[in-house]
Amino acid sequence: MSNQASKTLPDFVNSLTGSVQGEIRTDQVTRVLYSTDASIYQVEPLGVFFPKNVDDISTFLQTADEFNVPVLPRGSGSSLAGQAIGPGFIIDCSRYLDKIIEINPEERSAIVEPGLILAELNRSVEKFGLQFGPDPASGERATFGGIIGNNATGAHSIRYGMAADHVLSLEMNLSDGSLADFTELDMSEAKRRSALPTREGDIYRAVLSIRENYAHKIITNWPKTWRRASGYNLNYLLPWSPSRPPQWAAPGQANPSDNLPYPPVRPGSMNLATIMAGSEGSLGVIRRAKIRLVPKAQFTCLVLLSFADLISACDAVAGLLEMQPSAIELIPSNMVKLARTIPAYAKQISVLDGLISPDHGFPNLLAVEFSGEQFSELKDLAHKAAALTKSPSLIAEGEHLQTQIWNVRKVGLGILMSIPGDMKPIPFVEDVSVPVNKLSEFVTEFSAILSAYGTKGDFYAHASAGCLHMRPLVNLKTSAGVEMMRDIADETINLISRLGGAPSGEHGDGIARSEWLERVFGPDIIRAFQELKYAADPLGLLNPGKIVNPSRMDEFIRYGSRYSVENRQTVLDFSSQNGFIGAVEMCNGAGVCRKLDGVMCPSFQATREEMHSTRGRANLLRALLTIGLSSDEKISSADVYQALDLCLACKGCKSECPSAVDMAKMKYEFLEQYYQLGLTHRHPLRDYLFAYIDIISQFAILFKPLANYLLENQHQFGVGEDWLGVSRKRSLPMLCDSGTMRSQLGEYQLHSPQEEPQEEVLFLLDPFTEYYQPEIGIAAWKVLSAAGCKVRVIPVLGSGRTKLSKGFVRSARQHARKVIHAINKLDQDGQHAIIGIEPSEIYTLRDEYPDFFPNQGDVDSIAQRAFMIDEFLIRPGGDEKPRYLRIDNSSNGFPPINQRVILHGHCYKKTQPPAADGFPIGVQATVELLEQFGFPVEIIDAGCCGMAGAFGYEAEHYDLSMEIGELSLFPQVRQAPDQAIISASGFSCVAQIKDGTGRKADHFISLLHDRIFPKHED
């Protein structure tokens, strides 16, 4: 940050106030949140601006030019080289400027705003059989501003090239705020514009001069590969490229053609939109982009080829390219191994089990895709590819299976970053690109470089284009580690220069690679880069230090030798993550939590605020624990509390984050310390109400008429909201009229089956079932009995989940001790399954009990024996047949019914890892069991319902809770036919569906009970 900028910052902000509609933030929390991206760097910005319309960008840049304030545009902050951070004022277009302006199916084009997420566009144009060609792995969160600014591409680059090849025109604001519309022009118009006395005229004069004076140097010194995201795209001015994507699908063509040029700029014309692409926001800021769309392949077929080593895999690529595949991706053995440890991906990677050899372990894989209009031809090609390589293979024909494989490949970056400890895979030579025929030579020599420094790394990604992502293991918390990183980078640049490669084939230059550009391009081309930069940005205010006039690649390291953190003793066990700070540092900033679908992160999906993403919370936690910051720079525990307050603890991050960041667990521990260590931080009374609902309900049921009257009419008295902070807009659950489950159970036990039970099970009774919905517990008891089980209720009520969720971690652990003691007393041999019907309660035994009591055999045994009732019934008993078959009529099959079950899965059920025994678990277990009893099931495609235990009942959270429900769940429930059965297994989920839609949701075990015991037989 320049002194001049810092001195004028308040005046700059004051000048903007009232001139723009967007939000301006300069507070410390915001600056910390935007100080990192997905790279290894950290630079605190001056502030963040969220423009609400494109004219805000013009005003902001004009004012920044007047005040000499550096500016950098940013999308989702998923950049890996540090190009989305810097000592300037960040413009974040992702929050408001995220619209599709126009879709033109006939022209195969679209006009989009810079904050639009790629996945959103592809969903909108899919109905026309179209898509955006480049498909970066971050497409579910990457914005078009970032994609174009970085010249991104992806797995299908051999067919579609780079983002620059699909940009038709760009409406941009230049460094002085002036407007320019860059589109394809003939040379006479380009010369006319070069005479304009404007910033746009300056740019045209510079590019015409570069075209005339540097054409020979560009052709002579340019990297010998088309797959390049380094430097400015000066070769597009000629237009010329040293090579072309081998299956290049020319503009407007569904199939490759040898007759149309690459890059797609007509000779005798010029399109500066292609030059702005890949400039990393250093030449201007995008307001709108007109992009080319391409036909979506009608059919695809994917074949996985396995190899014992990387060199063999690389050597096979050239031959496979001759078969004209649409993609060839390398998946290293370590990625397969690690993916099996992450719940969301273990389910998908299980398809590869047949390729894993007991003798040779995990294979290195090439995923080779063929696409076209005749599936039989594609399948034949897949078989020929398998025969050509003579390696074990797997052909994935169906879309679902192919999606599973692609998902694992796309999150490879995060998976490889999930290694705990200080030695991390570091992206400083992340994506160098070399000619394909040099690929195995590069892998061999780069591996030798790593070996010489006593480290190693994994290679993965785009083998078809000679672009492999590599992450050497380095400890950047030491001076020696930082020095080793720089030395490896130095030798790697020498290697790729000799092989005719480029420093980046996809992820851009940023801080990590800008320093090395001169060694690759030579001083003459660097001068041409500088001429273009100075013409577009004479004051050097746009994303300074990127591409031109760079800093050293080892500056601004997030973790350096001076990095020091506060070590805290924890109640929960974090040893597998290298302690609490290690758990925080598992977040590498990739920003998968910023996606707008799936389970994580519901509060971000609703607010679009960085603070309420998993990444944002991790950043604030790390800042809180970092030692050495002055008091006015220090993030406070109150700041972190504000961020964690909207964490719904849905555990979606633990499941869907490729680095398996477990923010729910960190939230529990933080709340425990927040309230225990600070005298000024005291639990509100409401927390005790929810945490100790078992005790409170036990007392309240003695005065049930009065208690229910107050619960039903709390909005009239204002007791709930005014005194306790419970929203008056909520309908509160009533205490049961028929008595608790345990009080009713004696009557039903008199009618137990006369046959000798085949096995004994323990039932985890939770406070919601005991006091509010005992009929569901009785239904579960009857179904288990019908399945030949003797059911014994654990005398301790609940698992302690309610205490844990409100941050009473020590109290929850004490409760857990009582539960464990009770279970051990009932089942001294540790043989009986433990069954529950409330997901959050039974899964606490699986997820948190081992963290309460690590390496304690009886606790691990309890975790392994804990099942939701559906998971238990579909598993085999002693006769090796599924237990549901013991129920009368089920062996013959229950006839299908006409009513469809519309099922909302509890978050914890959605995030369960695959079971070791291979049987269905979580939501899939529910579906399978219901279908066995004749129910047709449709799963609601939604994340968290928004209630999240007590969260949605709390007055300050009510609106957000309902907004989360409106994201997907509520609309789908409302659209369900009146005769459809809505089903949800979570007590809170049922309440949320009722409040949000007016529809009643039934627990699946109630549906089974009524199927097994028709009303007239009760």
Side-chain angles (χ1 to χ4, degrees), residues 342-370:
I342 300 171
Y345 307 110
K347 301 172 187 176
Q348 302 178 59
I349 207 75
S350 61
V351 68
L352 307 181
D353 288 349
L355 298 178
I356 299 172
S357 164
D359 298 325
H360 301 99
F362 296 91
N364 296 282
L365 302 172
L366 285 181
V368 185
E369 182 195 80
F370 297 94

Side-chain angles (χ1 to χ4, degrees), residues 874-901:
I874 63 174
R875 279 168 166 69
D879 58 1
E880 298 185 354
K881 296 179 181 179
R883 292 179 174 93
Y884 67 79
L885 289 178
R886 300 173 184 166
I887 299 172
D888 289 345
N889 293 328
S890 59
S891 58
N892 298 322
F894 283 81
I897 64 173
N898 294 326
Q899 284 180 288
R900 179 172 293 276
V901 174

Side-chain angles (χ1 to χ4, degrees), residues 730-855:
R730 283 290 180 192
S731 58
L732 300 180
M734 300 289 106
L735 293 161
C736 55
D737 289 328
S738 55
T740 66
M741 176 180 166
R742 282 182 287 194
S743 69
Q744 298 180 54
L745 197 54
E747 176 187 346
Y748 287 99
Q749 285 174 325
L750 295 175
H751 305 287
S752 296
Q754 298 301 312
E755 298 84 5
E756 186 69 24
Q758 296 190 28
E759 65 180 312
E760 186 171 311
V761 299
L762 307 182
F763 187 81
L764 178 68
L765 178 59
D766 60 87
F768 311 105
T769 301
E770 170 75 338
Y771 296 112
Y772 298 92
Q773 51 185 24
E775 69 282 359
I776 299 178
I778 295 297
W781 182 87
K782 291 179 66 179
V783 171
L784 288 168
S785 297
C789 297
K790 178 181 179 181
V791 185
R792 301 181 68 184
V793 177
I794 299 169
V796 180
L797 192 62
S799 63
R801 160 57 52 185
T802 56
K803 300 173 181 63
L804 184 65
S805 65
K806 302 310 293 182
F808 295 94
V809 182
R810 284 183 172 85
S811 180
R813 186 171 62 178
Q814 291 172 358
H815 185 97
R817 282 197 181 97
K818 296 177 183 178
V819 175
I820 294 166
H821 177 74
I823 291 174
N824 290 340
K825 189 174 181 180
L826 290 172
D827 181 18
Q828 296 181 7
D829 296 329
Q831 298 297 314
H832 303 328
I834 304 157
I835 312 302
I837 60 173
E838 176 63 35
S840 62
E841 294 281 340
I842 194 69
Y843 289 143
T844 298
L845 272 59
R846 282 189 196 171
D847 296 347
E848 277 78 31
Y849 275 33
D851 286 330
F852 283 141
F853 310 106
N855 305 315

